């Protein structure tokens, strides 16, 4: 009988400790902030300070947030799946230290960004396609290139290196 009560007490303490540990991880990792679309969430990770700082000075600052460009916008489920996958990959890279000074976008993320560029700039892209058909030979202006081949400095400026933005360690917001 006494052993049974002791085991109940130990089991209760283990459950309380597990709940407390989980709550601590949620708090310390700012886990709930990742459910929002606030650009400041992206600088929870120090590697994104340069990208946040350059976006703050771009023409996109008042028009598009990180989420608007980097995540699918057509479905909440697809958005959360992409956010979860990217978050997992970012966490893994940060934990294992497998990222370099120059961050590289994945093919999957590049397709999402391209689709979002076209979605926001639909009228301009339509006009470009119409002009291309009217005034250019097929091989003069290859359509179908990623937008950032020509617009390399939008919205993150010409700096791609994590160490390129001066004083980037103190970036929070303007």
């Amino acid at each position: 009988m006494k052993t049974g009560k002791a085991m109940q007490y130990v089991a209760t303490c283990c459950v309380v400790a597990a709940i407390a540990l989980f709550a601590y991880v949620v708090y310390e990792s700012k886990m709930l902030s990742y459910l929002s679309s606030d650009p400041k969430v992206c600088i929870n990770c120090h590697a994104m300070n340069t990208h946040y700082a350059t976006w703050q000075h771009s023409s996109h600052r008042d028009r598009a947030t990180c989420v608007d460009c980097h995540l699918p916008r057509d479905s909440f489920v697809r958005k959360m799946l992409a956010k979860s996958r990217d978050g997992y990959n970012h966490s893994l890279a940060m934990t294992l230290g497998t990222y370099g000074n120059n961050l590289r976008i994945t093919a999957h993320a590049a397709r999402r960004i391209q689709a979002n560029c076209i979605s926001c700039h639909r009228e301009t892209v339509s006009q470009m396609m119409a002009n291309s058909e009217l005034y250019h030979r097929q091989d003069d202006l290859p359509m179908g290139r990623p937008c950032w081949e020509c617009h390399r400095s939008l919205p993150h400026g010409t700096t791609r290196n994590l160490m390129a933005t001066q004083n980037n360690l103190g970036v929070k917001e303007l």
Side-chain angles (χ1 to χ4, degrees):
M1 192 71 153
K2 228 175 179 182
T3 306
K5 285 234 181 226
M7 290 302 287
Q8 258 184 338
Y9 179 74
V10 169
T12 303
C13 287
C14 288
V15 168
V16 169
I19 290 170
L21 182 64
F22 180 75
Y24 176 73
V25 168
V26 167
Y27 171 76
E28 208 43 54
S29 67
K30 302 172 186 171
M31 188 183 293
L32 297 179
S33 69
Y34 292 100
L35 297 176
S36 79
S37 297
D38 187 349
K40 286 179 268 181
V41 171
C42 295
I43 58 173
N44 283 347
C45 168
H46 66 89
M48 292 296 154
N49 283 347
T50 299
H51 300 82
Y52 182 80
T54 53
W55 166 81
Q56 281 184 317
H57 299 286
S58 77
S59 60
H60 284 70
R61 178 177 179 216
D62 295 328
R63 298 179 185 267
T65 64
C66 309
V67 169
D68 292 331
C69 294
H70 290 269
L71 293 177
R73 296 186 303 170
D74 58 343
S75 155
F76 178 77
V77 173
R78 289 188 60 220
K79 178 181 173 181
M80 287 298 132
L81 287 174
K83 203 171 197 177
S84 300
R85 182 179 41 239
D86 288 354
Y88 172 76
N89 289 335
H90 293 172
S91 298
L92 194 62
M94 298 300 159
T95 302
L96 300 177
T98 56
Y99 66 98
N101 282 338
N102 294 324
L103 296 178
R104 299 284 178 218
I105 195 164
T106 62
H108 190 263
R111 283 191 297 273
R112 288 190 312 243
I113 292 171
Q114 179 72 9
N116 289 336
C117 287
I118 291 171
S119 174
C120 285
H121 300 282
R122 183 170 299 133
E123 288 181 28
T124 303
V125 171
S126 294
Q127 190 62 52
M128 286 174 57
M129 296 297 281
N131 288 345
S132 174
E133 290 174 12
L134 286 175
Y135 304 114
H136 296 283
R137 293 184 323 209
Q138 191 72 12
D139 53 346
D140 278 352
L141 184 62
M143 300 305 286
R145 295 181 292 173
C147 299
W148 51 87
E149 269 191 33
C150 296
H151 305 279
R152 185 160 292 283
S153 62
L154 290 172
H156 295 295
T158 55
T159 58
R160 297 273 184 244
N161 188 307
L162 294 177
M163 307 304 284
T165 305
Q166 294 180 354
N167 304 320
N168 65 354
L169 294 178
V171 171
K172 290 296 176 200
E173 59 184 303
L174 290 177

